[in-house]
Amino acid sequence: MAQTHSGGRAPLRQALAGAALFLVGALTIAVLIYISNSQEPGAVQAMMDLGLAGTALISAIAQGLVFWGGWLIWRATRRRAG
């Protein structure tokens, strides 16, 4: 469905989309780790504003983005190889 016969542009777009999703998810997780461990007043306030449920929800979404992005990259590279 997504694979084309015109130079394989669809797998490239899929790999780029996967890389973008992976990057957004990884950066979100990195920011959550930073605000969870930082003693700066702004980070502490952000952690209190998010709360435990908000932090867990954002972390789950970010992990899903990392997984989805990795899967898209894997799928695009498997199509190119095959």
Side-chain angles (χ1 to χ4, degrees), residues 43-72:
V44 172
Q45 184 62 41
M47 195 64 191
M48 292 300 126
D49 290 343
L50 286 174
L52 291 175
T55 304
L57 179 63
I58 293 170
S59 177
I61 291 170
Q63 290 173 42
L65 288 175
V66 168
F67 179 78
W68 188 22
W71 178 77
L72 284 173

Side-chain angles (χ1 to χ4, degrees), residues 17-53:
L21 289 172
F22 189 92
L23 184 62
V24 168
L27 288 175
T28 303
I29 292 170
V31 167
L32 283 174
I33 290 170
Y34 172 76
I35 67 170
S36 295
N37 295 315
S38 178
Q39 295 301 317
E40 293 180 15
V44 172
Q45 184 62 41
M47 195 64 191
M48 292 300 126
D49 290 343
L50 286 174
L52 291 175

